[in-house]
Amino acid sequence: MSKLERNWQYAEQYPGETEAQMRARRLSLELGIEPVSRSTAAHLSGVAALSRARAICEIGTGVGVSGLSLLRYDNEATLTSIEIEPEHLREARTVFADAGIQSSRLRLIEGDALHVMPRLNLAAYDLVVLDANPTELLDYFEHALTIVRPGGCVVVPGAFSHGRVPDPAARDEATQALRDLLALVADSPAIASMLSPAGDGVLTLVRQAG
């Protein structure tokens, strides 16, 4: 194992999680849902805390692993989360309730994010997380820029597409969408971008004011 691999493995094992997060992670695996890794979950918690995000929007609820991470350190933060699979959303409601998250802090929406996001208020969110169908990532991102406030963050977990993004031989639609987004934000003076190797890669973007 190389030094970089040991570093990555250590970083994956380092973060602690709440009992609610661990239960949600186990449930995800039972249902065949791939949850964000422990280090990615910690990244989401950290970005939410650093940015003091009070209004958070998430595309791709799953059963609540990411949502619990986003709400972990602020008892007043609210989460709007969009999920296209009704079974996943039903499980997520139970997960959040069992974790003691008040219903007044949650707005769980069943539907296609591309239909829901245009109806959300402009510049209303401090943090937007895009963790859904990667083939539609560029469309999600376009909408995310309209609903996140200036100075707010957009976070994209899974930015390496299971290691395919750095592989020039990988040319599937999802991988190419991620490459296109990475190229787009790298050249934009309106966005500050940070790419972390946590988990399967986490792209963090800050919408610059002005």
Side-chain angles (χ1 to χ4, degrees), residues 4 8 34-35 61 74 76 90 92 97 112 126 129 132 142 149 160 171-172 179 202:
L4 286 176
W8 180 88
E34 183 179 5
T61 312
D74 191 333
E76 295 184 14
R90 284 195 298 271
D112 185 335
D126 304 306
V129 177
E142 182 179 350
R149 64 169 175 80
F160 291 156
R171 299 181 181 277
D172 58 280
R179 288 190 185 121
V202 183

Side-chain angles (χ1 to χ4, degrees), residues 141-168:
F141 178 65
E142 182 179 350
H143 291 304
L145 285 183
T146 68
I147 65 174
V148 72
R149 64 169 175 80
C153 297
V154 177
V155 179
V156 183
F160 291 156
S161 189
H162 300 285
R164 291 191 295 268
V165 166
D167 179 4

Side-chain angles (χ1 to χ4, degrees), residues 19 35-37 42 58 66 73 120 125 132 148 169:
E19 181 61 35
V36 296
S37 75
E58 174 188 40
S66 298
Y73 294 118
L120 300 179
Y125 294 93
V148 72

Side-chain angles (χ1 to χ4, degrees), residues 92-116:
R93 292 184 192 281
T94 302
V95 164
F96 284 119
D98 289 347
I101 306 295
Q102 297 175 340
S103 59
S104 59
R105 299 177 60 200
L106 292 170
R107 182 186 180 196
L108 302 180
I109 302 173
E110 180 187 329
D112 185 335
L114 292 182
H115 298 154
V116 176

Side-chain angles (χ1 to χ4, degrees), residues 36-103:
V36 296
S37 75
R38 286 169 60 182
S39 66
T40 300
H43 185 101
L44 294 176
S45 296
V47 170
L50 281 167
S51 63
R52 299 181 179 179
R54 288 295 179 87
I56 303 170
C57 180
E58 174 188 40
I59 311 306
T61 312
V63 297
V65 176
S66 298
L68 290 174
S69 303
L70 291 163
L71 297 176
R72 183 174 182 179
Y73 294 118
D74 191 333
N75 292 328
E76 295 184 14
T78 62
L79 175 67
T80 296
S81 191
I82 305 166
E83 173 60 55
I84 199 167
E85 295 290 343
E87 180 188 0
H88 298 173
L89 207 59
R90 284 195 298 271
E91 295 289 354
R93 292 184 192 281
T94 302
V95 164
F96 284 119
D98 289 347
I101 306 295
Q102 297 175 340
S103 59

